[in-house]
Amino acid sequence: AEARVGTCVDGRYALDAILGRGGMGVVYAGRHVGIGKPVALKVLHPHRARDEGALTRFLKEARAASAAGSPHIVDVTDYGTLEGGTAYLVMELLEGESLARRLASRGRLPLAEVVAVGVQLARGLAAAHAAGIVHRDLKPDNVMLVPHGGPGEELVKIVDFGIAKVDAAGDDGVAGTPHYMAPEQAAGGETDGRTDVYAVGVMLYELATGTRPFDAETPLGVLARHAHGDYVPASERQRELPRAFDGVLARCLAKDPAQRWPTATALEEALLAVVAPKRSRRRWVPVA
């Protein structure tokens, strides 16, 4: 990976530094050599170049992010292959921090910030779902907070659609992160937009309380808790949280998808009603 720093991809994109590494590939900070625009490039690991499943997931990420066309979803601008068939994606370079890092540094967030993050997540998901895309791996690591607008205002960006379900093409096995995985996904069942709503509910609970609703010593134990366990209401962990917030979370975290908020837009409206019952649903809600 380090050997690529300082090189040029396809004669167009200079790789300046490594931003992060994952199981699928390496993400670099770079720039378009012609116009100097900063970009991020995700390059598939060379050993996965002949892995048809990995290539499919990589291309799926490019198509999913582009199809949604939301300011709350990272913009993917290009896709190509290098020598040996190694694939790469070109994305907007996000200046900010992940929701996971924000949680690690602050422990939990005030309700107004939790709602602001939730509302923007819901707006991004509404666009994705309208385009036939279910993310299926929503978690704090896959949410970025980017400075935007006035002082203290931030834009929520959803990233990493690598295991998305696109255009009802069918699920490709059980994939996701146990702490944020809905029961039907863990069981290898059918997933839809309500699967993402469940994951948002887990994140909202974690943001507001500093703890996850379901935990155990092993990944299988966590999945069992999601499927059959109860959780402590958020207002019992943090007394200042209103019961109305508990109600929003209860519908997000229902075991049966039919009992959840039916759409991301319905979740957005419910969250706004918690902090400002008379506020217009379309009003801009800053993170901080």
Side-chain angles (χ1 to χ4, degrees):
E2 284 80 2
R4 292 192 185 278
V5 175
T7 65
C8 192
V9 171
D10 270 359
R12 292 180 293 161
Y13 302 106
L15 303 183
D16 296 329
I18 294 175
L19 290 176
R21 308 167 190 261
M24 289 285 289
V26 180
V27 181
Y28 298 86
R31 54 198 157 78
H32 190 288
V33 295
I35 60 177
K37 180 181 179 179
V39 295
L41 284 90
K42 179 184 285 189
V43 180
L44 189 68
H45 285 309
H47 68 269
R48 288 186 173 271
R50 294 180 178 84
D51 181 344
E52 288 297 328
L55 286 171
T56 297
R57 285 173 57 181
F58 218 62
L59 183 56
K60 184 184 289 186
E61 178 172 0
R63 289 174 173 167
S66 298
S70 166
H72 299 295
I73 293 175
V74 64
D75 188 23
V76 176
T77 59
D78 201 359
Y79 172 88
T81 55
L82 304 177
E83 69 285 350
T86 299
Y88 69 90
L89 298 178
V90 182
M91 303 171 286
E92 60 179 319
L93 182 63
L94 300 178
E95 302 288 348
E97 67 176 348
S98 70
L99 194 54
R101 187 176 293 274
R102 179 68 56 85
L103 267 171
S105 65
R106 293 178 55 182
R108 62 185 183 88
L109 306 180
L111 180 62
E113 293 186 32
V114 175
V115 168
V117 170
V119 163
Q120 294 187 62
L121 279 173
R123 290 176 183 173
L125 288 176
H129 296 165
I133 300 156
V134 183
H135 189 286
R136 301 200 303 161
D137 195 22
L138 287 170
K139 56 187 175 181
D141 284 314
N142 287 341
V143 177
M144 290 291 294
L145 305 175
V146 180
H148 180 84
E153 292 187 356
E154 294 174 299
L155 192 65
V156 170
K157 290 272 191 177
I158 303 170
V159 304
D160 202 349
F161 280 78
I163 66 169
K165 174 184 172 184
V166 182
D167 291 330
D171 294 341
D172 51 5
V174 177
T177 304
H179 277 105
Y180 305 91
M181 195 182 295
E184 68 275 10
Q185 184 177 3
E190 186 68 19
T191 57
D192 60 23
R194 296 168 298 181
T195 305
D196 287 341
V197 166
Y198 185 96
V200 173
V202 176
M203 287 193 286
L204 294 176
Y205 186 103
E206 186 176 10
L207 290 174
T209 67
T211 61
R212 300 185 183 109
F214 303 107
D215 215 342
E217 294 183 358
T218 66
L220 284 177
V222 172
L223 295 178
R225 291 292 309 277
H226 280 296
H228 306 293
D230 295 322
Y231 64 91
V232 177
S235 65
E236 292 185 20
R237 293 193 182 275
Q238 299 296 332
R239 298 293 183 182
E240 72 274 14
L241 292 172
R243 293 292 181 87
F245 185 64
D246 286 338
V248 173
L249 294 183
R251 286 198 66 178
C252 288
L253 299 174
K255 310 294 187 191
D256 180 357
Q259 301 302 315
R260 293 179 204 147
W261 299 106
T263 64
T265 299
L267 171 58
E268 176 192 342
E269 292 173 344
L271 284 169
L272 286 174
V274 169
V275 293
K278 296 182 181 180
R279 180 178 297 182
S280 167
R281 179 173 66 83
R282 289 301 172 193
R283 181 171 174 179
W284 169 257
V285 182
V287 170

